[in-house]
Amino acid sequence: MEFSGKSIVVTGGSLGMGRACSVRFAEGGGKVLVVSNDAGSVAETVAIIGPNASGFIGDVRSAQDMEQAVVEAVARHGGVDILACCAGIQRYGTVVDTPEDVWDDVFAVNLKGIYLASRFVIPEMKKRGGGAIVAISSVQAYASQTGVAAYTASKGAINALVRAMALDHATDNITVNAVCPASVDTPMLRWAADQWKGDHSQDEMIALWGKGHPLGRVGKPSEIAELVAFLASDKARFITGADLKIDGGTMAKLGIVLPE
């Protein structure tokens, strides 16, 4: 029960890795505010978790919504101790063929959402004597595929923002870290599989992508949630400004193959 007495806000907290984080925090005794703009999945997640969770329908791109989400967390749970930023979208395209509005939307959800949630959470954390912020980034912050310019750029920016925030708020006893997964079996990955599966089924496509990881499979949302929970816990108070890979060995295998 490492999160007993803790108030936790999870943006993008109703699906995929965000839902897994919401569940994990609640299992640890925390009081979780599940934030998403998808009312149906918020209701479903809160029902799955039970009395340790409540929902807030809001858009991470909206300053008004993020401010109100924090107001709600304070009203219900007395403050905010932990923020997990899990909202994210994936779009395909190069800088030439990505429409400007799509580029802006990727950055608004993936990056601006972290800025806005943190902007309103941090003053409440300071009132509590500190806190922890964990943002979901991606291994594509380090090494990119082709045709994902906006997504890759947004994830690299998340890692940079995390470093800046960690330094800015270290004296407030607030830690800020990023978690960088490879492929994880989430609704977003299944959406991507539908885009590229061709004659394969969705499951077959995900299995094929899994074979690209040294461990031979894609990750599970619950595995990502365990790392997020650790970074948010009191056990990780000396970790800040870090970006931790959780990728089945994917980044370890990259390198130049020398001819024999």
Side-chain angles (χ1 to χ4, degrees):
M1 302 297 286
E2 69 268 46
F3 299 113
S4 179
K6 301 287 188 181
S7 170
I8 300 140
V9 175
V10 183
T11 63
S14 65
L15 289 170
M17 289 178 273
R19 174 180 284 185
C21 289
S22 296
V23 170
R24 176 63 182 83
F25 284 127
E27 287 176 345
K31 298 295 185 181
V32 182
L33 185 70
V34 178
V35 179
S36 172
N37 62 354
D38 182 355
S41 65
V42 169
E44 187 177 72
T45 301
V46 170
I48 289 169
I49 294 173
N52 272 11
S54 55
F56 180 86
I57 312 305
D59 191 329
V60 296
R61 298 168 293 186
S62 164
Q64 181 177 354
D65 284 3
M66 290 303 95
E67 182 176 23
Q68 190 56 45
V70 174
V71 168
E72 189 81 5
V74 171
R76 293 188 181 209
H77 308 138
V80 181
D81 301 292
I82 295 165
L83 169 65
C85 296
C86 303
I89 58 173
Q90 162 75 298
R91 298 291 182 265
Y92 290 99
T94 68
V95 294
V96 174
D97 56 34
T98 299
E100 185 177 357
D101 63 327
V102 172
W103 179 278
D104 289 345
D105 202 35
V106 169
F107 270 79
V109 174
N110 294 1
L111 185 65
K112 186 180 179 181
I114 297 171
Y115 149 69
L116 288 175
S118 300
R119 179 184 176 191
F120 298 111
V121 158
I122 286 170
E124 296 300 329
M125 287 182 172
K126 290 169 70 173
K127 294 176 186 177
R128 307 271 273 194
I133 298 172
V134 186
I136 299 291
S137 180
S138 168
V139 292
Q140 294 208 58
Y142 313 105
S144 182
Q145 297 172 308
T146 58
V148 287
Y151 181 80
T152 293
S154 73
K155 294 300 182 176
I158 288 171
N159 288 16
L161 177 60
V162 160
R163 290 193 297 272
M165 289 170 56
L167 295 177
D168 287 341
H169 301 290
T171 56
D172 299 318
N173 196 33
I174 296 171
T175 62
V176 189
N177 294 290
V179 168
C180 302
S183 298
V184 179
D185 192 351
T186 63
M188 189 169 81
L189 188 72
R190 289 187 171 270
W191 170 84
D194 280 337
Q195 311 302 305
W196 299 101
K197 66 184 181 181
D199 294 331
H200 295 289
S201 71
Q202 189 184 79
D203 286 339
E204 288 170 341
M205 195 66 203
I206 289 173
L208 284 171
W209 282 342
K211 291 177 181 178
H213 302 62
L215 289 183
R217 65 173 176 85
V218 300
K220 302 172 185 177
S222 60
E223 293 171 317
I224 311 307
E226 286 296 335
L227 180 55
V228 172
F230 169 71
L231 290 171
S233 75
D234 290 342
K235 297 176 181 178
R237 294 307 301 168
F238 199 58
I239 303 173
T240 196
D243 42 277
L244 281 72
K245 305 177 189 71
I246 178 166
D247 65 354
T250 300
M251 291 295 99
K253 76 173 184 176
L254 297 178
I256 298 171
V257 179
L258 298 176
E260 295 182 357

